[in-house]
Amino acid sequence: GEDVEQSLFLSVREGDSSVINCTYTDSSSTYLYWYKQEPGAGLQLLTYIFSNMDMKQDQRLTVLLNKKDKHLSLRIADTQTGDSAIYFCAESSTGGYNKLIFGAGTRLAVHP
Amino acid sequence: SQTIHQWPATLVQPVGSPLSLECTVEGTSNPNLYWYRQAAGRGLQLLFYSVGIGQISSEVPQNLSASRPQDRQFILSSKKLLLSDSGFYLCACSGGNQPQHFGDGTRLSIL
């Protein structure tokens, strides 16, 4: 079945780059997404990439997609303390209606 | 742009009591609407989705139900809450092939 996997925790120093990785199983996913969740809040859409793209850049965020390996990554340049949050990877489901399958989330901790 | 309102923000309920969580959407028409639950320290589990008024699809068997009485209103209900219903409930909305956007969530604690 459809599944999305992420590492659970990442710790980086302020100013360094963070790379959060995700693998998915559904090769027919049309879009892949990154969401950010701050403590006690809902999910904020950070960025998404169409499956026929390899890379998408948006200011400090770079998304890389390796469709052959079904691997998605999110790179955050110059990581700041405000980037501390849980980051969810999600793939669009072949079930239709824009249903998403989410990973368990990666907790990013940024320390001085 | 669309705005998603959820209330209440937090709720403490005794076991066996009923539940009604409401989600309303502004800035879009005929959206797809979704209810998710997030258990503590876990990812999101899709509970229900709706593609139109009165149309509800359930993803997992559970103690909850959903209704969509109006185009931009989505309600999550239970007749008798269980301890296992505790969690963070999120409503989401999407239009066409647009990404899902989420409300701020309701934190439900069952005592």
Side-chain angles (χ1 to χ4, degrees), chain A residues 43-54:
Chain A
L43 272 68
Q44 172 195 356
L45 177 68
L46 281 181
T47 186
Y48 60 101
I49 188 168
F50 190 50
S51 59
N52 68 354
M53 297 171 64
D54 297 324

Side-chain angles (χ1 to χ4, degrees), chain A residues 7-29:
Chain A
S7 53
L8 294 182
F9 188 74
L10 177 65
S11 178
V12 299
R13 191 186 305 272
E14 190 174 11
D16 288 350
S17 291
S18 308
V19 179
I20 302 171
N21 294 300
C22 168
T23 57
Y24 60 97
T25 56
D26 187 352
S27 58
S28 60
S29 289

Side-chain angles (χ1 to χ4, degrees), chain A residues 15-18 59-62 75-80 83:
Chain A
D16 288 350
S17 291
S18 308
Q59 299 181 341
R60 292 191 298 123
L61 305 178
T62 303
R75 178 177 180 269
I76 305 173
D78 186 24
T79 311
Q80 302 297 308
D83 295 323

Side-chain angles (χ1 to χ4, degrees), chain A residues 35 37 41-42 88 97-99, chain B residues 34 38 51 59 94 98 100:
Chain A
Y35 286 86
Q37 185 180 35
F88 290 94
Y97 305 117
N98 197 22
K99 286 166 53 179
Chain B
Y34 310 83
Q38 184 180 25
V51 299
E59 285 294 294
S94 72
Q98 294 302 306
Q100 290 185 26

Side-chain angles (χ1 to χ4, degrees), chain B residues 48-71:
Chain B
F48 300 94
Y49 69 91
S50 171
V51 299
I53 296 173
Q55 300 180 61
I56 309 294
S57 295
S58 174
E59 285 294 294
V60 292
Q62 58 207 310
N63 184 41
L64 302 167
S65 61
S67 61
R68 185 170 177 176
Q70 300 181 47
D71 182 46

